[in-house]
Amino acid sequence: MQNEINIPIILNAVRKVGDAFLKDYKQNAIPQTMDELLKQLEDIDTLCLSSLKEDLSLEFPNIPWHIGDEFDTDSQRNPAEQQEYWLCDAMDGAIQYLQHIAGWTINLALIRNGQPFFSVIFDPLANEMFWAKDGEGAFMNDKSLHLSRKTDLAVMLAVFEYGHQEKSNNNLNEKIGSSVTKLLDNFGIIRNYGPHGLQLAYVGAGRIDLFVQEDLDTYNWIAGLLIAKEAGAQILTTAGTPWKWGSESLLVAPKSIAKKYLQIKSTK
């Protein structure tokens, strides 16, 4: 394994495919049937993965690839068996892309020993490249990221998210509803935005104060988790325990804000 990885090569590969999608943004007809939707989603996956593999295979010939299928709940409970591999979320927010609205990114993570070692999230519309390496900080383009320093809940922006798994038989809808109610009752601004990884990067950048999700969504989270963590955010479950791969909830925020949310959540 290469402890010193060539970061510019990785960032350039992600930028290249993101810019290719940007060139074609709003050029395709919005899908009107399930068959059209699935076909366009498949085309996105194919183009993204083939471009990244082509550009990174020379520098990293021995690192295998995994697609982060967010619809496959079971596969998200544990990291893959390989000691090192690329985990690619071809396009986080692909539905927004196909609907001709903002909120889509290219996400890539290098997983080492079951944990994210390097990750990148590129937002082509904003020309913003968020990235982090384990133990070495988090950045947007060339600038270090810094968390929110807010203390007043009334001016905080909190976001909630949800995944795609079946929710009717495991009380997830009730948990999500309870979380949203707590947010609405206590925080000044509440949003549900779409691209999970980008929202986590925004926590690292101080643009979002709190991220909450009450279900399992590892593949959507993983690239953004490293960025938020390296910026100094706490990475917890909504029960307040340290998050680990396979945890079925996520709370990401600066320490003081996470503490306030957990106090609110514990009240009836």
PDB file of all heavy atoms in Angstrom, residues 242-264:
ATOM      1  N   PRO A 242     -20.012   6.661  19.491  1.00  0.00           N
ATOM      2  CA  PRO A 242     -19.153   6.859  18.312  1.00  0.00           C
ATOM      3  C   PRO A 242     -19.674   6.074  17.115  1.00  0.00           C
ATOM      4  O   PRO A 242     -20.043   4.903  17.241  1.00  0.00           O
ATOM      5  CB  PRO A 242     -17.795   6.322  18.785  1.00  0.00           C
ATOM      6  CG  PRO A 242     -17.827   6.456  20.274  1.00  0.00           C
ATOM      7  CD  PRO A 242     -19.250   6.184  20.661  1.00  0.00           C
ATOM      8  N   TRP A 243     -19.718   6.723  15.969  1.00  0.00           N
ATOM      9  CA  TRP A 243     -20.158   6.056  14.744  1.00  0.00           C
ATOM     10  C   TRP A 243     -19.098   5.052  14.299  1.00  0.00           C
ATOM     11  O   TRP A 243     -17.903   5.313  14.412  1.00  0.00           O
ATOM     12  CB  TRP A 243     -20.385   7.079  13.628  1.00  0.00           C
ATOM     13  CG  TRP A 243     -20.891   6.457  12.359  1.00  0.00           C
ATOM     14  CD1 TRP A 243     -22.186   6.266  12.011  1.00  0.00           C
ATOM     15  CD2 TRP A 243     -20.110   5.950  11.262  1.00  0.00           C
ATOM     16  NE1 TRP A 243     -22.275   5.678  10.772  1.00  0.00           N
ATOM     17  CE2 TRP A 243     -21.009   5.461  10.295  1.00  0.00           C
ATOM     18  CE3 TRP A 243     -18.727   5.846  11.023  1.00  0.00           C
ATOM     19  CZ2 TRP A 243     -20.585   4.892   9.093  1.00  0.00           C
ATOM     20  CZ3 TRP A 243     -18.298   5.273   9.829  1.00  0.00           C
ATOM     21  CH2 TRP A 243     -19.219   4.808   8.884  1.00  0.00           C
ATOM     22  N   LYS A 244     -19.547   3.903  13.806  1.00  0.00           N
ATOM     23  CA  LYS A 244     -18.657   2.938  13.174  1.00  0.00           C
ATOM     24  C   LYS A 244     -19.346   2.385  11.941  1.00  0.00           C
ATOM     25  O   LYS A 244     -20.577   2.520  11.780  1.00  0.00           O
ATOM     26  CB  LYS A 244     -18.289   1.817  14.144  1.00  0.00           C
ATOM     27  CG  LYS A 244     -19.466   1.005  14.648  1.00  0.00           C
ATOM     28  CD  LYS A 244     -19.016  -0.046  15.647  1.00  0.00           C
ATOM     29  CE  LYS A 244     -20.207  -0.867  16.146  1.00  0.00           C
ATOM     30  NZ  LYS A 244     -19.779  -1.912  17.108  1.00  0.00           N
ATOM     31  N   TRP A 245     -18.566   1.778  11.080  1.00  0.00           N
ATOM     32  CA  TRP A 245     -19.113   1.241   9.835  1.00  0.00           C
ATOM     33  C   TRP A 245     -20.251   0.279  10.173  1.00  0.00           C
ATOM     34  O   TRP A 245     -20.080  -0.667  10.938  1.00  0.00           O
ATOM     35  CB  TRP A 245     -18.018   0.504   9.065  1.00  0.00           C
ATOM     36  CG  TRP A 245     -18.332   0.275   7.619  1.00  0.00           C
ATOM     37  CD1 TRP A 245     -19.354  -0.459   7.114  1.00  0.00           C
ATOM     38  CD2 TRP A 245     -17.597   0.763   6.496  1.00  0.00           C
ATOM     39  NE1 TRP A 245     -19.326  -0.452   5.739  1.00  0.00           N
ATOM     40  CE2 TRP A 245     -18.247   0.285   5.335  1.00  0.00           C
ATOM     41  CE3 TRP A 245     -16.452   1.556   6.364  1.00  0.00           C
ATOM     42  CZ2 TRP A 245     -17.783   0.568   4.046  1.00  0.00           C
ATOM     43  CZ3 TRP A 245     -15.995   1.838   5.088  1.00  0.00           C
ATOM     44  CH2 TRP A 245     -16.651   1.351   3.943  1.00  0.00           C
ATOM     45  N   GLY A 246     -21.420   0.504   9.589  1.00  0.00           N
ATOM     46  CA  GLY A 246     -22.586  -0.322   9.859  1.00  0.00           C
ATOM     47  C   GLY A 246     -23.558   0.281  10.856  1.00  0.00           C
ATOM     48  O   GLY A 246     -24.656  -0.260  11.052  1.00  0.00           O
ATOM     49  N   SER A 247     -23.193   1.398  11.494  1.00  0.00           N
ATOM     50  CA  SER A 247     -24.128   2.072  12.398  1.00  0.00           C
ATOM     51  C   SER A 247     -25.372   2.506  11.636  1.00  0.00           C
ATOM     52  O   SER A 247     -25.289   2.956  10.493  1.00  0.00           O
ATOM     53  CB  SER A 247     -23.467   3.297  13.043  1.00  0.00           C
ATOM     54  OG  SER A 247     -22.423   2.928  13.907  1.00  0.00           O
ATOM     55  N   GLU A 248     -26.526   2.411  12.275  1.00  0.00           N
ATOM     56  CA  GLU A 248     -27.794   2.643  11.596  1.00  0.00           C
ATOM     57  C   GLU A 248     -28.356   4.033  11.857  1.00  0.00           C
ATOM     58  O   GLU A 248     -29.563   4.259  11.697  1.00  0.00           O
ATOM     59  CB  GLU A 248     -28.789   1.555  11.978  1.00  0.00           C
ATOM     60  CG  GLU A 248     -28.323   0.175  11.520  1.00  0.00           C
ATOM     61  CD  GLU A 248     -29.420  -0.862  11.543  1.00  0.00           C
ATOM     62  OE1 GLU A 248     -30.560  -0.519  11.921  1.00  0.00           O
ATOM     63  OE2 GLU A 248     -29.139  -2.010  11.173  1.00  0.00           O
ATOM     64  N   SER A 249     -27.505   4.958  12.229  1.00  0.00           N
ATOM     65  CA  SER A 249     -27.890   6.365  12.318  1.00  0.00           C
ATOM     66  C   SER A 249     -26.618   7.192  12.297  1.00  0.00           C
ATOM     67  O   SER A 249     -25.515   6.660  12.472  1.00  0.00           O
ATOM     68  CB  SER A 249     -28.699   6.650  13.593  1.00  0.00           C
ATOM     69  OG  SER A 249     -27.898   6.456  14.750  1.00  0.00           O
ATOM     70  N   LEU A 250     -26.787   8.492  12.083  1.00  0.00           N
ATOM     71  CA  LEU A 250     -25.614   9.363  11.990  1.00  0.00           C
ATOM     72  C   LEU A 250     -25.950  10.756  12.509  1.00  0.00           C
ATOM     73  O   LEU A 250     -26.989  11.329  12.176  1.00  0.00           O
ATOM     74  CB  LEU A 250     -25.138   9.463  10.541  1.00  0.00           C
ATOM     75  CG  LEU A 250     -23.888  10.326  10.298  1.00  0.00           C
ATOM     76  CD1 LEU A 250     -22.672   9.734  10.993  1.00  0.00           C
ATOM     77  CD2 LEU A 250     -23.623  10.481   8.805  1.00  0.00           C
ATOM     78  N   LEU A 251     -25.041  11.283  13.320  1.00  0.00           N
ATOM     79  CA  LEU A 251     -25.112  12.653  13.824  1.00  0.00           C
ATOM     80  C   LEU A 251     -23.735  13.270  13.623  1.00  0.00           C
ATOM     81  O   LEU A 251     -22.740  12.757  14.147  1.00  0.00           O
ATOM     82  CB  LEU A 251     -25.491  12.650  15.310  1.00  0.00           C
ATOM     83  CG  LEU A 251     -25.293  13.938  16.099  1.00  0.00           C
ATOM     84  CD1 LEU A 251     -26.165  15.059  15.546  1.00  0.00           C
ATOM     85  CD2 LEU A 251     -25.596  13.710  17.580  1.00  0.00           C
ATOM     86  N   VAL A 252     -23.658  14.347  12.842  1.00  0.00           N
ATOM     87  CA  VAL A 252     -22.384  15.008  12.565  1.00  0.00           C
ATOM     88  C   VAL A 252     -22.545  16.497  12.839  1.00  0.00           C
ATOM     89  O   VAL A 252     -23.437  17.147  12.283  1.00  0.00           O
ATOM     90  CB  VAL A 252     -21.929  14.779  11.117  1.00  0.00           C
ATOM     91  CG1 VAL A 252     -20.616  15.496  10.838  1.00  0.00           C
ATOM     92  CG2 VAL A 252     -21.779  13.284  10.844  1.00  0.00           C
ATOM     93  N   ALA A 253     -21.668  17.032  13.686  1.00  0.00           N
ATOM     94  CA  ALA A 253     -21.748  18.441  14.076  1.00  0.00           C
ATOM     95  C   ALA A 253     -20.517  18.790  14.894  1.00  0.00           C
ATOM     96  O   ALA A 253     -19.825  17.899  15.397  1.00  0.00           O
ATOM     97  CB  ALA A 253     -23.011  18.703  14.906  1.00  0.00           C
ATOM     98  N   PRO A 254     -20.226  20.081  15.062  1.00  0.00           N
ATOM     99  CA  PRO A 254     -19.236  20.463  16.067  1.00  0.00           C
ATOM    100  C   PRO A 254     -19.642  19.917  17.434  1.00  0.00           C
ATOM    101  O   PRO A 254     -20.832  19.728  17.718  1.00  0.00           O
ATOM    102  CB  PRO A 254     -19.279  21.995  16.046  1.00  0.00           C
ATOM    103  CG  PRO A 254     -19.799  22.342  14.691  1.00  0.00           C
ATOM    104  CD  PRO A 254     -20.773  21.247  14.346  1.00  0.00           C
ATOM    105  N   LYS A 255     -18.675  19.679  18.308  1.00  0.00           N
ATOM    106  CA  LYS A 255     -18.931  19.026  19.587  1.00  0.00           C
ATOM    107  C   LYS A 255     -20.023  19.720  20.390  1.00  0.00           C
ATOM    108  O   LYS A 255     -20.924  19.073  20.929  1.00  0.00           O
ATOM    109  CB  LYS A 255     -17.635  18.954  20.404  1.00  0.00           C
ATOM    110  CG  LYS A 255     -17.785  18.223  21.725  1.00  0.00           C
ATOM    111  CD  LYS A 255     -16.450  18.124  22.443  1.00  0.00           C
ATOM    112  CE  LYS A 255     -16.592  17.370  23.765  1.00  0.00           C
ATOM    113  NZ  LYS A 255     -15.277  17.241  24.461  1.00  0.00           N
ATOM    114  N   SER A 256     -19.984  21.048  20.483  1.00  0.00           N
ATOM    115  CA  SER A 256     -20.946  21.767  21.315  1.00  0.00           C
ATOM    116  C   SER A 256     -22.360  21.650  20.750  1.00  0.00           C
ATOM    117  O   SER A 256     -23.338  21.556  21.509  1.00  0.00           O
ATOM    118  CB  SER A 256     -20.553  23.243  21.431  1.00  0.00           C
ATOM    119  OG  SER A 256     -20.529  23.864  20.149  1.00  0.00           O
ATOM    120  N   ILE A 257     -22.481  21.643  19.424  1.00  0.00           N
ATOM    121  CA  ILE A 257     -23.805  21.558  18.804  1.00  0.00           C
ATOM    122  C   ILE A 257     -24.342  20.135  18.901  1.00  0.00           C
ATOM    123  O   ILE A 257     -25.543  19.923  19.142  1.00  0.00           O
ATOM    124  CB  ILE A 257     -23.731  22.047  17.345  1.00  0.00           C
ATOM    125  CG1 ILE A 257     -23.304  23.521  17.320  1.00  0.00           C
ATOM    126  CG2 ILE A 257     -25.078  21.865  16.644  1.00  0.00           C
ATOM    127  CD1 ILE A 257     -23.091  24.080  15.920  1.00  0.00           C
ATOM    128  N   ALA A 258     -23.471  19.145  18.721  1.00  0.00           N
ATOM    129  CA  ALA A 258     -23.895  17.750  18.894  1.00  0.00           C
ATOM    130  C   ALA A 258     -24.415  17.530  20.308  1.00  0.00           C
ATOM    131  O   ALA A 258     -25.437  16.855  20.512  1.00  0.00           O
ATOM    132  CB  ALA A 258     -22.735  16.809  18.592  1.00  0.00           C
ATOM    133  N   LYS A 259     -23.736  18.099  21.292  1.00  0.00           N
ATOM    134  CA  LYS A 259     -24.160  17.959  22.691  1.00  0.00           C
ATOM    135  C   LYS A 259     -25.543  18.569  22.891  1.00  0.00           C
ATOM    136  O   LYS A 259     -26.405  17.971  23.562  1.00  0.00           O
ATOM    137  CB  LYS A 259     -23.145  18.631  23.604  1.00  0.00           C
ATOM    138  CG  LYS A 259     -23.470  18.516  25.085  1.00  0.00           C
ATOM    139  CD  LYS A 259     -22.386  19.181  25.933  1.00  0.00           C
ATOM    140  CE  LYS A 259     -22.731  19.078  27.420  1.00  0.00           C
ATOM    141  NZ  LYS A 259     -21.682  19.733  28.255  1.00  0.00           N
ATOM    142  N   LYS A 260     -25.787  19.734  22.316  1.00  0.00           N
ATOM    143  CA  LYS A 260     -27.097  20.378  22.450  1.00  0.00           C
ATOM    144  C   LYS A 260     -28.190  19.518  21.809  1.00  0.00           C
ATOM    145  O   LYS A 260     -29.283  19.362  22.374  1.00  0.00           O
ATOM    146  CB  LYS A 260     -27.079  21.760  21.797  1.00  0.00           C
ATOM    147  CG  LYS A 260     -26.300  22.802  22.575  1.00  0.00           C
ATOM    148  CD  LYS A 260     -26.418  24.175  21.925  1.00  0.00           C
ATOM    149  CE  LYS A 260     -25.679  25.231  22.744  1.00  0.00           C
ATOM    150  NZ  LYS A 260     -25.832  26.587  22.180  1.00  0.00           N
ATOM    151  N   TYR A 261     -27.908  18.955  20.627  1.00  0.00           N
ATOM    152  CA  TYR A 261     -28.916  18.131  19.968  1.00  0.00           C
ATOM    153  C   TYR A 261     -29.241  16.895  20.801  1.00  0.00           C
ATOM    154  O   TYR A 261     -30.414  16.529  20.947  1.00  0.00           O
ATOM    155  CB  TYR A 261     -28.447  17.709  18.572  1.00  0.00           C
ATOM    156  CG  TYR A 261     -29.426  16.769  17.915  1.00  0.00           C
ATOM    157  CD1 TYR A 261     -30.611  17.249  17.361  1.00  0.00           C
ATOM    158  CD2 TYR A 261     -29.202  15.392  17.894  1.00  0.00           C
ATOM    159  CE1 TYR A 261     -31.538  16.390  16.795  1.00  0.00           C
ATOM    160  CE2 TYR A 261     -30.121  14.520  17.325  1.00  0.00           C
ATOM    161  CZ  TYR A 261     -31.286  15.030  16.773  1.00  0.00           C
ATOM    162  OH  TYR A 261     -32.200  14.180  16.218  1.00  0.00           O
ATOM    163  N   LEU A 262     -28.228  16.242  21.334  1.00  0.00           N
ATOM    164  CA  LEU A 262     -28.456  15.038  22.136  1.00  0.00           C
ATOM    165  C   LEU A 262     -29.248  15.358  23.392  1.00  0.00           C
ATOM    166  O   LEU A 262     -30.088  14.558  23.827  1.00  0.00           O
ATOM    167  CB  LEU A 262     -27.126  14.387  22.484  1.00  0.00           C
ATOM    168  CG  LEU A 262     -26.386  13.755  21.289  1.00  0.00           C
ATOM    169  CD1 LEU A 262     -24.969  13.356  21.686  1.00  0.00           C
ATOM    170  CD2 LEU A 262     -27.160  12.542  20.761  1.00  0.00           C
ATOM    171  N   GLN A 263     -29.024  16.535  23.972  1.00  0.00           N
ATOM    172  CA  GLN A 263     -29.831  16.941  25.130  1.00  0.00           C
ATOM    173  C   GLN A 263     -31.281  17.148  24.720  1.00  0.00           C
ATOM    174  O   GLN A 263     -32.204  16.726  25.441  1.00  0.00           O
ATOM    175  CB  GLN A 263     -29.254  18.234  25.728  1.00  0.00           C
ATOM    176  CG  GLN A 263     -27.923  18.046  26.427  1.00  0.00           C
ATOM    177  CD  GLN A 263     -27.249  19.359  26.808  1.00  0.00           C
ATOM    178  OE1 GLN A 263     -27.602  20.432  26.283  1.00  0.00           O
ATOM    179  NE2 GLN A 263     -26.305  19.297  27.729  1.00  0.00           N
ATOM    180  N   ILE A 264     -31.494  17.776  23.577  1.00  0.00           N
ATOM    181  CA  ILE A 264     -32.855  17.994  23.070  1.00  0.00           C
ATOM    182  C   ILE A 264     -33.533  16.664  22.772  1.00  0.00           C
ATOM    183  O   ILE A 264     -34.687  16.439  23.103  1.00  0.00           O
ATOM    184  CB  ILE A 264     -32.816  18.865  21.801  1.00  0.00           C
ATOM    185  CG1 ILE A 264     -32.410  20.298  22.163  1.00  0.00           C
ATOM    186  CG2 ILE A 264     -34.153  18.848  21.067  1.00  0.00           C
ATOM    187  CD1 ILE A 264     -32.025  21.146  20.974  1.00  0.00           C
TER     188      ILE A 264
END
